[in-house]
Amino acid sequence: MTAPEATCDEGRPLAAQLLVHPATDFVGDHPSRTENATGYVLGTQDVLDLQHLYAGDDPAVRGSLRVSPLRAERSTDLAPAVIGTAPYDSLRDEGHAYAGALTDADVDVFARIYDGLIHTFRNLFPVSPADDAAVAELYAQLEDRLG
């Protein structure tokens, strides 16, 4: 079954979205930022530094849908989403919240937290069977949505 095309705010057709440990909220304060502040590859200060480099310090830019899609007033008519998060990741909670917002808007969502994994698990598949299994499942879910 081929997924219907959805569009983003710029009118570009999208068949699906794959989000692995996604940053979806540049203005929120999520518990995973504190719980995973240090020791798991991407710490809280790293997130703040990257946000500054990407979006500067302007609150209007940080709250914009381009960098904080979790802040959208509505999430309807978006492409099906495949979202993978890890428990030991500063971005975990905003990934979960985005999956929840899409689900609430009746978007087709596959979301999974991969126990025991850290941020960047998508890049560790060659050396870790658990990471390899997570990546394989995410790609299979994406393939299903692309038809």
Side-chain angles (χ1 to χ4, degrees):
M1 173 169 91
T2 302
E5 275 191 2
T7 58
C8 68
D9 63 338
E10 295 176 351
R12 295 179 182 151
L14 301 174
Q17 48 184 320
L18 173 63
L19 305 164
V20 183
H21 37 72
T24 61
D25 187 6
F26 276 35
V27 295
D29 185 22
H30 302 276
S32 59
R33 298 261 181 96
T34 302
E35 293 168 19
N36 300 304
T38 60
Y40 298 110
V41 179
L42 182 75
T44 301
Q45 189 59 51
D46 300 318
V47 171
L48 296 173
D49 291 345
L50 290 166
Q51 287 177 342
H52 172 76
L53 290 171
Y54 190 78
D57 295 319
D58 182 347
V61 174
R62 287 177 165 263
S64 74
L65 299 182
R66 288 181 180 261
V67 296
S68 294
L70 182 56
R71 299 289 163 175
E73 289 183 23
R74 66 174 191 80
S75 297
T76 57
D77 301 324
L78 294 178
V82 176
I83 302 173
T85 59
Y88 305 109
D89 183 4
S90 297
L91 302 177
R92 177 196 68 217
D93 292 340
E94 62 194 272
H96 286 244
Y98 189 61
L102 294 177
T103 299
D104 290 347
D106 292 325
V107 173
D108 171 25
V109 177
F110 171 85
R112 170 94 24 111
I113 183 168
Y114 291 98
D115 291 335
L117 301 187
I118 61 172
H119 184 84
T120 73
F121 71 85
R122 183 187 60 181
N123 300 328
L124 299 173
F125 68 93
V127 296
S128 166
D131 293 349
D132 187 44
V135 170
E137 180 176 49
L138 291 169
Y139 287 168
Q141 290 292 327
L142 178 62
E143 185 176 24
D144 286 349
R145 281 153 182 80
L146 292 175

